Amino acid sequence: MIKDVARSLWALGWMGGGAIAAFVVLLLVAPWVVSPYVVSLFMAMFMYIVVCSSWNIISGFTGYVSFGHVVFWGVGAYVTAVLVWKFNYPWPLAVMLGGVGSAFLATIVSYPILKLTGIYFAISMLALAEAIKILTSHFRSVTGGGGGIYLRPMASLNILYLMMGFLALAVVLVCYSITHTKFGRSLLTIREDETAAESLGINITRRKIQALILSGLFPGIAGGIYVMNVCFIDPATAFDISITVNIILMTTFGGIGTIIGPVLGPVAFTALSEFLWASFPFLHRAILGAILIAMVMGMPNGIMPFMVRFAQWVGIREFFSRRREASQ
Amino acid sequence: MLEANGLRICYGAVPAVHDVTFKVQEGQIVSIIGANGAGKTTLLKAIAGVQRISAGRISFLGEKLDGLPANQIVTKGISHVPEGRHIFSELSVKENLLIGAYTVKDASEVEKKLRSVYKTFPILEERSAQRGGTLSGGEQQMLAIARGLMSGPRLLMLDEPSLGIMPTVVRQIFDIVKKLRSQGTTVLLVEQNVKKGLEIADKAYVLQTGRCVLEGTGDELLRSDMVRKHYLGL
Amino acid sequence: MFEAWVTVLISGLAMGAIYALVAGGLNLTWGVMNVVNMAHGVFLMLGAYITFMAWSYWGINPLFTIFLSFPILFALGALINRFLVRRTVGLASMLLTFGIFMVIENLAVVGFGGMYRSVRFFTGSYDIMGVFVSKPRIIAAGIAVAMSLLTYWFLKKTKIGVAIRAISLDRMMAEQCGVNTNQICTITFGIGAAQPAVAGSLMSLIFAFNPMLGRVFLVKAFAIVVLGGMGNFLGALIGGLTIGLVEAVIAFSGNLHLSEAAGFIIIILILLLRPSGIMGRRQ
């Protein structure tokens, strides 16, 4: 397994390595060049890259479309906030424990919930998110109830931004390398045909559970970083179904089940959504809804096929086809 | 009455039927026989409008049929009793029959049809309140045929009516098919039971891997060496 | 104490009857067309606004406004199906209808404003031997039950109803029996939109509401459908009454938030223990 991962990273080659290096340089330089506003915009974008890529593990690779993925992000945010607020944990530790918390939630729900498939899985994830939202409002003594938790600012924007950026890079690399491992290939087989996967000797229950845990881990950390930045969390924000829909929207737009899709989607949508907020402050949600409708009807496979066609046209086919192979 | 010319039908890129031509004369029983996967069912599906054709032409009473949606085909006077019967399991026997007469607008006409199929299949009247899914295989086949008759078709297409049914019931069903012919309904029959299918047929076609390899009257084919050797094992 | 419990049970059942109507529409589109309609919440909200506008601007008796909300939302649903939903099924339909939800809710906020509205037409309670029954609740519940039964009758006894049930069992075969399944599905989606709208009209008699009204029912309606068994048309009624009752009992025991969570916990438990629902047919 580790060997496979190492080999896949080696296989990134000069071009991939160069891209990663360029990203890191840009990441480090940006705060000195652009305004704090743009930095927080980037941070939001990285956050969505993290959650979209994570969602893609269980939904894109494994084929279990989750309609409640916000729950992992929200639980991570809450765990971090509560640890800092009630127990005075140092915030970086609290952020990491946010990830542990969401992965723990994924672990306890995984066995029963992954017995369901298709729409039933989607809906029970949705119900899980709503149920946790209400339970969070209910247990006032621990969670601060419906009014939420206010934290005093502890970490600077730039630090949190860097953490989110590196987390995004790490998640994308994890997604990339698991598609090169036996684990990743098992997930793809499960997506295509669960019965066949079982007959090939894949322990499907175990693989699905691992996928869900991995898929729940990173959004928890991202939620923790988020909450340290805005210093406020309440149940309505933490478990907002709109976030789940954004995740699905962005990933589908970028290309579900690919590595690059959950990166392209958030980049495009952060820019778009920023533009819509600025230009149509009262209608931006309706416009996003219309885009969602148009996408389901017009390009169910996301923007990737278009990109590939465009790339072929300009003759850089090699670049894209390698990535697509990696994801298939 | 029904004419199919140069039919070619593909599932994705794989052709299941290549260049098949056949004719059904009014008042006859026409059998299409062949082994599993020869394309018989595909052919009926194409006529019924649930399978697109890639080339060729189907016409019925001089009217072009291909390209029409399946529900329109019924109104032209063709009824399809598909393989596997496809009974509406949660609907009562009577409701199954009423759905069969969906295209008949006149309520008294529906009532008349209902009485007539109950006369042909008395068992269905006995079971009229039962759910379709609770019937035995043979009864379900009768229900499927009866449902097909409710629209008052001029051409009835039967796909494997003998499949998985007790021999005594099969005999009963074939007797009914003969009776339908005498009452003026044309029947296009697809059968894997080659002997039965040819015995009853006025005209028959043998389909092999999507091609029509032999045609003739039922008796001619029963006597042909090719059929005797390949399909009857004689 | 006994009277108090009876009051709680009645008010829970009354709420449940309205839930059942919301879920009935969802159940219909899900069971027949395999379209998981996430937009039923906004249909409900539109129903509530139709009642509010007809009552406050034209002084129409709110009870008669269901004769407005039903046809208007039927038409809207039919149009949405004809131009958008059509052959989109399963998960794609969930996304698509959520898009519709976003558009309509946003437009409603812009058009109606975010403030709370209420239709205070029926007020007070009936006092029957110490049992207090809120007037708007019991009237709304009566209409809701009547509406559910009417739909049930429609599905059981009319030609279109039988065709709808046939499509839910075997769409291809129904088509081959001469049923224009596209047309019937458009009617089905229309009813699936109109039923929640009537529920919304009735709900406006009971609570104050704003354009976010639909959100509360987004998941709750799924809970009811899953509880009653998807595609089981009487199941939605029983599921609705059950959830209304459970919520009322938990709320009365002093746990408002947990009563809200009841629906979601039920949905998860049912899916895990008995995926076909309490009334569902076994696979």
Side-chain angles (χ1 to χ4, degrees), chain A residues 213-293:
Chain A
I213 295 171
L214 198 58
S215 179
L217 168 69
F218 303 112
I221 304 174
I225 300 174
Y226 166 88
V227 81
M228 292 318 299
N229 183 38
V230 298
C231 297
F232 168 71
I233 193 79
D234 70 339
T237 319
F239 304 105
D240 185 357
I241 183 181
S242 304
I243 295 179
T244 303
V245 172
N246 284 346
I247 297 171
I248 301 175
L249 185 64
M250 289 177 186
T251 316
T252 318
F253 180 77
I256 186 168
T258 64
I259 311 292
I260 197 83
V263 178
L264 280 183
V267 172
F269 265 79
T270 314
L272 178 72
S273 156
E274 212 34 48
F275 164 74
L276 291 177
W277 260 117
S279 323
F280 310 98
F282 300 112
L283 281 174
H284 80 281
R285 233 175 106 76
I287 295 171
L288 277 178
I291 292 172
L292 179 57
I293 295 169

Side-chain angles (χ1 to χ4, degrees), chain C residues 38-279:
Chain C
M38 305 277 284
H40 60 268
V42 289
F43 297 149
L44 176 123
M45 176 270 292
L46 289 178
Y49 272 96
I50 288 170
T51 296
F52 172 75
M53 310 250 274
W55 171 71
S56 62
Y57 294 144
W58 301 314
I60 298 175
N61 181 328
L63 287 186
F64 294 126
T65 60
I66 61 174
F67 297 107
L68 284 174
S69 53
F70 190 95
I72 292 175
L73 266 290
F74 179 87
L76 181 68
L79 284 175
I80 286 176
N81 182 68
R82 176 69 187 70
F83 291 105
L84 299 176
V85 178
R86 289 193 98 188
R87 298 229 153 199
T88 317
V89 295
L91 289 161
S93 72
M94 269 177 102
L95 278 178
L96 182 71
T97 50
F98 195 85
I100 295 169
F101 170 89
M102 286 166 77
V103 172
I104 296 181
E105 189 187 80
N106 194 167
L107 293 180
V109 172
V110 173
F112 303 134
M115 66 288 255
Y116 278 88
R117 305 288 198 180
S118 59
V119 178
R120 301 186 61 74
F121 188 77
F122 300 102
T123 48
S125 313
Y126 298 112
D127 177 357
I128 308 159
M129 297 185 297
V131 175
F132 287 93
V133 184
S134 132
K135 272 187 204 170
R137 257 183 207 234
I138 204 73
I139 292 169
I143 297 173
V145 170
M147 185 76 203
S148 284
L149 293 178
L150 192 68
T151 313
Y152 184 66
W153 171 85
F154 172 78
L155 290 169
K156 271 284 179 199
K157 294 293 173 201
T158 66
K159 189 170 170 178
I160 294 178
V162 176
I164 289 175
R165 281 156 58 216
I167 293 174
S168 81
L169 296 165
D170 190 335
R171 182 170 179 155
M172 212 51 161
M173 193 58 230
E175 178 81 22
Q176 289 179 68
C177 285
V179 180
N180 184 341
T181 52
N182 286 332
Q183 186 190 20
I184 298 291
C185 283
T186 298
I187 294 173
T188 307
F189 202 85
I191 300 173
Q195 262 192 317
V198 171
S201 286
L202 297 174
M203 235 174 279
S204 72
L205 302 173
I206 305 177
F207 319 108
F209 58 92
N210 71 359
M212 311 296 176
L213 174 67
R215 293 196 174 184
V216 185
F217 296 93
L218 194 64
V219 184
K220 202 177 279 180
F222 283 118
I224 294 162
V225 172
V226 169
L227 183 63
M230 190 261 282
N232 186 315
F233 302 111
L234 212 50
L237 183 58
I238 291 165
L241 293 175
T242 312
I243 291 202
L245 204 58
V246 169
E247 281 188 2
V249 169
I250 301 180
F252 185 62
S253 331
N255 237 323
L256 215 57
H257 282 126
L258 282 188
S259 93
E260 284 284 302
F264 311 127
I265 293 166
I266 286 176
I267 201 174
I268 294 171
L269 287 181
I270 290 287
L271 279 175
L272 298 177
L273 301 177
R274 206 184 142 83
S276 54
I278 42 175
M279 296 268 298

Side-chain angles (χ1 to χ4, degrees), chain B residues 25-44:
Chain B
Q25 298 258 322
E26 183 138 29
Q28 292 193 331
I29 295 177
V30 176
S31 287
I32 299 176
I33 59 168
N36 236 335
K40 301 166 296 183
T41 296
T42 312
L43 217 52
L44 291 201

Side-chain angles (χ1 to χ4, degrees), chain A:
Chain A
M1 171 109 181
I2 291 167
K3 226 168 153 188
D4 285 334
V5 170
R7 198 178 300 144
S8 73
L9 291 178
W10 183 248
L12 278 169
W14 287 112
M15 206 165 147
I20 293 170
F23 172 78
V24 172
V25 169
L26 283 177
L27 189 68
L28 293 171
V29 169
W32 278 274
V33 185
V34 297
S35 67
Y37 170 74
V38 178
V39 169
S40 44
L41 208 61
F42 278 161
M43 192 171 153
M45 187 174 88
F46 294 144
M47 187 184 89
Y48 269 112
I49 293 178
V50 173
V51 286
C52 287
S53 296
S54 306
W55 179 82
N56 199 32
I57 296 174
I58 187 72
S59 304
F61 295 153
T62 323
Y64 279 69
V65 177
S66 160
F67 248 83
H69 231 60
V70 66
V71 75
F72 299 120
W73 180 82
V75 163
Y78 254 102
V79 167
T80 304
V82 169
L83 289 178
V84 170
W85 172 60
K86 276 234 127 130
F87 303 101
N88 290 317
Y89 272 50
W91 69 265
L93 178 62
V95 166
M96 291 303 141
L97 289 174
V100 173
S102 62
F104 178 69
L105 175 71
T107 313
I108 49 177
V109 299
S110 61
Y111 180 71
I113 220 164
L114 283 164
K115 279 192 196 166
L116 304 167
T117 53
I119 293 198
Y120 291 98
F121 174 77
I123 289 175
S124 49
M125 284 299 297
L126 180 65
L128 177 69
E130 293 292 313
I132 299 234
K133 181 205 277 185
I134 289 159
L135 293 176
T136 311
S137 311
H138 176 67
F139 292 106
R140 192 173 293 273
S141 56
V142 189
T143 62
I149 299 174
Y150 291 86
L151 302 173
R152 70 191 161 73
M154 282 173 229
S156 79
L157 171 65
N158 285 348
I159 297 282
L160 294 166
Y161 150 86
L162 283 177
M163 281 177 79
M164 200 70 104
F166 281 112
L167 181 64
L169 178 64
V171 176
V172 173
L173 286 178
V174 165
C175 286
Y176 167 77
S177 46
I178 58 174
T179 53
H180 288 258
T181 61
K182 219 172 131 190
F183 171 61
R185 281 191 295 273
S186 324
L187 298 186
L188 297 180
T189 318
I190 290 171
R191 178 183 71 187
E192 294 317 317
D193 186 339
E194 207 156 305
T195 326
E198 197 160 24
S199 67
L200 286 173
I202 296 170
N203 186 340
I204 52 170
T205 314
R206 203 187 163 103
R207 290 294 177 237
K208 286 190 297 187
I209 289 176
Q210 289 166 339
L212 187 67
I213 295 171
L214 198 58
S215 179
L217 168 69
F218 303 112
I221 304 174
I225 300 174
Y226 166 88
V227 81
M228 292 318 299
N229 183 38
V230 298
C231 297
F232 168 71
I233 193 79
D234 70 339
T237 319
F239 304 105
D240 185 357
I241 183 181
S242 304
I243 295 179
T244 303
V245 172
N246 284 346
I247 297 171
I248 301 175
L249 185 64
M250 289 177 186
T251 316
T252 318
F253 180 77
I256 186 168
T258 64
I259 311 292
I260 197 83
V263 178
L264 280 183
V267 172
F269 265 79
T270 314
L272 178 72
S273 156
E274 212 34 48
F275 164 74
L276 291 177
W277 260 117
S279 323
F280 310 98
F282 300 112
L283 281 174
H284 80 281
R285 233 175 106 76
I287 295 171
L288 277 178
I291 292 172
L292 179 57
I293 295 169
M295 230 177 56
V296 175
M297 297 190 55
M299 41 188 233
N301 296 320
I303 199 168
M304 264 312 263
F306 292 88
M307 297 281 284
V308 170
R309 223 172 298 148
F310 178 73
Q312 282 168 348
W313 181 63
V314 297
I316 48 168
R317 177 179 182 176
E318 186 56 22
F319 175 76
F320 280 100
S321 57
R322 252 182 62 202
R323 250 128 246 255
R324 282 182 70 76
E325 258 163 43
S327 67
Q328 274 156 11

